[in-house]
Amino acid sequence: MRLTTKGRYAVTAMLDLALHQDRGSVALADIAESQHISLSYLEQLFAKLRKAELVRGIRGPGGGYHLAKAPEDISIAAIISAVDERVDITSCRGNENCDKGERCLTHQLWEDLSEQLHNFLAGISLRDVVGWPKVRQVAERQDARTGRDVCVPVNEIQQAGNQA
Amino acid sequence: MRLTTKGRYAVTAMLDLALHQDRGSVALADIAESQHISLSYLEQLFAKLRKAELVRGIRGPGGGYHLAKAPEDISIAAIISAVDERVDITSCRGNENCDKGERCLTHQLWEDLSEQLHNFLAGISLRDVVGWPKVRQVAERQDARTGRDVCVPVNEIQQAGNQA
DNA sequence: ATCATTTCCCAGTAATTTACTCGGGATATC
DNA sequence: GATATCCCGAGTAAATTACTGGGAAATGAT
């Protein structure tokens, strides 16, 4: 199990979909903007998410992506695994090339640790994360405001679109 | 919290030290060989571990590294944090504008998740991992818990083994 | 005192991964 | 049929990972 910015992008994007389930579907362009990454790169990530059957895409105007399952059926571990395509060459995997002695034990211990981590993240669903109390407060605070805003000084991005 | 091969190298190396505490100290050359990475690269990792006061180095013939603290006082999270040097572009570049943007909710959610993960790994010490194989079956049975409470599975697992 | 062994330190670079750019389809909606 | 969106792939820039190489300082053994 690995955890990089790639996995983070995937998880936050999936959270975005989970938060906007009522909207039907969310366009990648919107997510790309809020995450500050390129549309094409996001598309590549979503290609993997789609192959893992975590999301479904809808083409045409008004289209976008939505979750392929209920939020409670999508674990964080599943999302990270989908985009990570782990080749996992943890050296001596059941091979004798590693000294059969104590040194190989450390690799086994890492495997155990990695598995613990995976189980931990497999036990957390999108629904769990969305429902975390700490965040609810923020969400409710959001509901009070109606303005759509951008996370970052607006001058940095997109001065073209004045969609409303 | 990030988790890459760098962190893995650090953790397995630390496990190596923990397993050979009786030996006094372990030379990096030995670890480098068993991990199949270069000595110099390991040295760089250990420079960070030393700065984080997790290990102590002894020069000269017969020298090497040993743990700076007891294995139960060194958490996996501490090891990973030591070598990761945390660039933290995680959420909207530290701007407060973020709170106003609706989409930035996902960033807050990620922070929460990341914190959960950190707490999880902070609750696992080198001693825990070294002692794992004995309690492994119990560990696999354990459900990862979500919610506001911090997960401290390993410690609980070991006690759970006693209470049947 | 000299020497071999080891940690320490630092600069440069190869290799890999991440992220972007570009150029085009395909498909559904208006 | 025009447009918004997903879809796809090839090439590339940027960042990170990992290595190479050259030393210096400490330490124990000869």
Side-chain angles (χ1 to χ4, degrees):
Chain A
M1 175 123 262
R2 229 167 38 128
L3 190 48
T4 67
T5 55
K6 214 169 177 177
R8 196 191 74 211
Y9 286 141
V11 170
T12 50
M14 290 292 283
L15 283 168
D16 206 318
L17 296 193
L19 286 167
H20 298 105
Q21 267 189 310
D22 50 321
R23 279 188 201 173
S25 61
V26 179
L28 285 194
D30 293 350
I31 300 180
E33 186 191 341
S34 70
Q35 305 276 44
H36 311 119
I37 61 177
S38 77
L39 176 58
S40 253
Y41 188 51
L42 238 204
E43 282 177 342
Q44 289 169 30
L45 293 183
F46 267 75
K48 291 177 180 172
L49 293 173
R50 190 163 39 80
K51 277 169 197 160
E53 296 183 344
L54 295 175
V55 298
R56 211 163 285 160
I58 300 175
R59 301 202 217 191
Y65 277 97
H66 61 85
L67 299 181
K69 311 174 191 175
E72 55 264 35
D73 294 329
I74 299 178
S75 74
I76 302 302
I79 298 170
I80 292 173
S81 300
V83 298
D84 240 19
E85 62 192 38
R86 197 94 190 85
V87 198
D88 194 281
I89 319 171
T90 330
S91 10
C92 59
R93 283 273 249 177
N95 295 336
E96 314 128 22
N97 60 349
C98 191
D99 298 338
K100 46 218 162 184
E102 298 165 328
R103 271 317 170 11
C104 200
L105 179 55
T106 60
H107 294 149
Q108 181 56 52
L109 288 175
W110 173 261
E111 287 300 320
D112 291 349
L113 180 58
S114 185
E115 188 184 334
Q116 285 290 315
L117 192 60
H118 187 275
N119 288 342
F120 176 70
L121 294 178
I124 303 179
S125 72
L126 282 181
R127 186 196 184 94
D128 291 330
V129 179
V130 168
W132 277 342
K134 200 172 176 182
V135 162
R136 278 256 190 74
Q137 292 185 346
V138 184
E140 281 162 10
R141 207 168 63 213
Q142 302 295 336
D143 284 343
R145 310 165 189 249
T146 39
R148 170 174 131 68
D149 207 340
V150 185
C151 302
V152 136
V154 202
N155 49 22
E156 269 194 300
I157 33 176
Q158 173 238 20
Q159 57 265 38
N162 68 335
Q163 53 137 205
Chain B
M1 175 122 261
R2 228 167 40 126
L3 189 49
T4 68
T5 55
K6 215 168 175 176
R8 196 191 74 210
Y9 285 142
V11 171
T12 51
M14 290 293 281
L15 283 169
D16 207 318
L17 296 193
L19 286 167
H20 296 106
Q21 268 189 308
D22 51 324
R23 206 188 270 185
S25 61
V26 179
L28 285 193
D30 294 349
I31 299 178
E33 188 189 343
S34 69
Q35 304 276 47
H36 307 119
I37 61 177
S38 77
L39 176 58
S40 253
Y41 189 49
L42 239 204
E43 283 177 343
Q44 287 168 32
L45 294 184
F46 267 76
K48 290 176 181 172
L49 293 174
R50 190 164 40 83
K51 277 169 195 158
E53 296 184 344
L54 295 176
V55 298
R56 211 161 285 159
I58 300 177
R59 297 198 204 186
Y65 278 95
H66 61 86
L67 299 180
K69 312 174 191 174
E72 55 263 34
D73 293 330
I74 300 179
S75 76
I76 302 300
I79 298 170
I80 291 173
S81 300
V83 298
D84 241 20
E85 64 194 34
R86 197 111 193 89
V87 199
D88 191 75
I89 318 175
T90 343
S91 60
C92 315
R93 303 173 188 180
N95 292 338
E96 308 110 19
N97 306 17
C98 195
D99 268 351
K100 298 177 181 176
E102 182 191 62
R103 276 282 161 44
C104 287
L105 176 56
T106 61
H107 293 149
Q108 181 58 52
L109 285 171
W110 173 261
E111 286 300 320
D112 291 349
L113 181 57
S114 184
E115 189 184 334
Q116 287 288 316
L117 192 60
H118 187 276
N119 289 341
F120 177 71
L121 294 178
I124 302 178
S125 72
L126 281 182
R127 187 196 185 93
D128 291 328
V129 179
V130 168
W132 258 353
K134 299 161 191 166
V135 293
R136 190 168 175 193
Q137 290 200 342
V138 188
E140 281 171 0
R141 191 176 47 130
Q142 146 112 58
D143 291 349
R145 292 186 51 217
T146 63
R148 33 191 156 356
D149 280 347
V150 168
C151 298
V152 239
V154 177
N155 298 334
E156 291 174 5
I157 289 166
Q158 289 183 334
Q159 291 164 7
N162 294 336
Q163 58 180 259

